[in-house]
Amino acid sequence: VLEMPNKKDVSTAVVHRLARYYRCLLDMKNRGVGRVSSKILAEVMGLTASQIRQDLNCFGGFGQQGYGYNVDNLIHEIAVILNLDKGHTAVVVGAGNLGHALLNNFNFARAGVRVAGAFDTDPKLIGTVVGGVTIRAIGELEPFVQSYRPDIAVLTLPRIHAVPVAELLCQAGIRGFWNFTSADLSLPSITVPVENVHFSESLMTLSYRL
Amino acid sequence: VLEMPNKKDVSTAVVHRLARYYRCLLDMKNRGVGRVSSKILAEVMGLTASQIRQDLNCFGGFGQQGYGYNVDNLIHEIAVILNLDKGHTAVVVGAGNLGHALLNNFNFARAGVRVAGAFDTDPKLIGTVVGGVTIRAIGELEPFVQSYRPDIAVLTLPRIHAVPVAELLCQAGIRGFWNFTSADLSLPSITVPVENVHFSESLMTLSYRL
């Protein structure tokens, strides 16, 4: 039996690719695909088959030579590696246009995350329900985090408020930030992981390809 | 004089890293940094100094041993490589919450892109101005693209409309798609580059790190 590597040993690039595998495999499953070769997965993902075998062998190698990967099994194994089976919960901080777009359209459940609450300063928004989640006053955020211990704060608030709110949430016990603002949270006062969403990088990649 | 490699020779991973370098270097420039070593750039980006030297040497190597990179020069050279100096124009297709969020808050100019128009089906939105751009009726999209030849279509419309609208835009002469919908545009009828924005991959990466 091969051992799963220590979490610390897996590079960021591999983790990003695992997330891409997961998304592609879910799409395949939804189209009724039950088994996939590394060759086909490579074509879909724009990688080489040997890269894929190397990545998946990192985690014990779920494939069989000449037989391919069982899609369901692979989805399950990657979910375990990425902690998608942990029942993580999130609060959405800022229910403006971007917060609304995420609450209404983003499939948090597909990434294994449940939205436990959403918060805004706008009195017109407080009390309304967006994507099944009631918007609460920002003043309730800190006691909510202390009481319910959500794992993730989704930062969709104005950039200028991002740092003080993130510091407050760290103190209150949040475990990680999904940061949609352009604020830089790599500060000594922010002691938990931050995943920044940088739209501009993907737009620049497209520019290159035009 | 070292030659710039053919565009086809540069891997997607390198292009993504160049976009990250560009963003980090702009931040440094804004903080008044004029020169940076590969060691410091490596620390900021979470890469190794040798990875950075290898990436930048791909394009002729702008650094000097023991002296570092001139931030302004490097920004300029990367902009040229990524086509950020080409004056690309874009249309935003769909001015709902996500379209609004991008028009109001995303710095298109920083990625070298100018928004030439935005389009929606909602009569309440048509004629309003969002982020300095007037929202037009979706019926005007095809003639607008044929007349003004924008390079990029930003797809922030409902998923179910993404494929037919993208096919129409291809026919009308669009050169690339920045796709925020979860629709799969890897179809024979879509003959131009597509850059998909997959929020879920970044959320899953965060889950791993919690």
Side-chain angles (χ1 to χ4, degrees), chain A residues 7 23 178 194 201-202 208, chain B residues 7 23 178 201-202 208:
Chain A
K7 291 227 159 184
R23 187 178 51 73
W178 196 22
V194 178
E201 290 175 19
S202 100
Y208 175 82
Chain B
K7 291 227 158 185
R23 187 178 51 74
W178 196 22
E201 290 176 19
S202 99
Y208 175 83

Side-chain angles (χ1 to χ4, degrees), chain A residues 86-131:
Chain A
K86 292 287 196 297
H88 286 151
T89 53
V91 286
V92 173
V93 186
N97 284 308
L98 187 55
H100 263 71
L102 289 175
L103 288 166
N104 276 325
N105 302 312
F106 178 68
N107 195 341
F108 282 93
R110 203 175 137 132
V113 173
R114 187 176 64 78
V115 178
F119 300 83
D120 205 284
T121 55
D122 184 348
K124 286 197 296 293
L125 291 177
I126 295 162
T128 64
V129 179
V130 180

Side-chain angles (χ1 to χ4, degrees), chain B residues 187-209:
Chain B
L187 301 167
S189 54
I190 307 293
T191 52
V192 298
V194 178
E195 179 71 23
N196 297 299
V197 179
H198 291 299
F199 293 143
S200 67
E201 290 176 19
S202 99
L203 180 55
M204 290 191 272
T205 304
L206 177 61
S207 278
Y208 175 83
R209 295 167 63 202

Side-chain angles (χ1 to χ4, degrees), chain A residues 43-65:
Chain A
E43 273 171 28
V44 171
M45 302 234 342
L47 297 169
T48 65
S50 80
Q51 172 79 80
I52 283 176
R53 283 190 298 268
Q54 189 185 314
D55 285 344
L56 300 181
N57 287 347
C58 263
F59 301 100
F62 316 114
Q64 278 178 266
Q65 188 72 40

Side-chain angles (χ1 to χ4, degrees), chain A residues 27 38 94 100 103 147 179 184 200 205:
Chain A
D27 287 342
S38 49
H100 263 71
L103 288 166
S147 300
N179 179 27
D184 182 2
S200 67
T205 304

Side-chain angles (χ1 to χ4, degrees), chain A:
Chain A
V1 178
L2 290 164
E3 261 185 79
M4 197 168 290
N6 186 295
K7 291 227 159 184
K8 294 265 188 301
D9 297 344
V10 183
S11 77
T12 310
V14 174
V15 174
H16 274 115
R17 282 202 297 277
L18 285 175
R20 280 190 66 208
Y21 293 129
Y22 188 80
R23 187 178 51 73
C24 287
L25 289 162
L26 277 188
D27 287 342
M28 287 180 177
K29 181 187 159 96
N30 289 341
R31 289 200 307 270
V33 177
R35 191 165 283 284
V36 65
S37 66
S38 49
K39 183 158 174 285
I40 297 290
L41 201 51
E43 273 171 28
V44 171
M45 302 234 342
L47 297 169
T48 65
S50 80
Q51 172 79 80
I52 283 176
R53 283 190 298 268
Q54 189 185 314
D55 285 344
L56 300 181
N57 287 347
C58 263
F59 301 100
F62 316 114
Q64 278 178 266
Q65 188 72 40
Y67 196 64
Y69 298 96
N70 176 300
V71 171
D72 269 338
N73 287 356
L74 200 49
I75 286 171
H76 174 73
E77 298 287 350
I78 296 176
V80 170
I81 295 162
L82 293 178
N83 290 332
L84 309 183
D85 61 337
K86 292 287 196 297
H88 286 151
T89 53
V91 286
V92 173
V93 186
N97 284 308
L98 187 55
H100 263 71
L102 289 175
L103 288 166
N104 276 325
N105 302 312
F106 178 68
N107 195 341
F108 282 93
R110 203 175 137 132
V113 173
R114 187 176 64 78
V115 178
F119 300 83
D120 205 284
T121 55
D122 184 348
K124 286 197 296 293
L125 291 177
I126 295 162
T128 64
V129 179
V130 180
V133 178
T134 303
I135 312 299
R136 295 159 194 262
I138 197 80
E140 297 180 35
L141 176 59
E142 189 174 8
F144 185 95
V145 170
Q146 288 165 341
S147 300
Y148 295 103
R149 297 269 160 209
D151 302 286
I152 295 165
V154 183
L155 300 178
T156 45
L157 73 177
R159 175 196 167 115
I160 52 160
H161 301 307
V163 169
V165 168
E167 287 174 338
L168 178 143
L169 288 168
C170 262
Q171 291 287 326
I174 207 81
R175 298 181 57 214
F177 292 104
W178 196 22
N179 179 27
F180 283 81
T181 79
S182 55
D184 182 2
L185 301 184
S186 54
L187 300 168
S189 53
I190 307 292
T191 52
V192 297
V194 178
E195 179 72 22
N196 296 299
V197 179
H198 291 299
F199 293 144
S200 67
E201 290 175 19
S202 100
L203 180 56
M204 290 191 273
T205 304
L206 177 60
S207 278
Y208 175 82
R209 295 166 63 201
L210 290 184

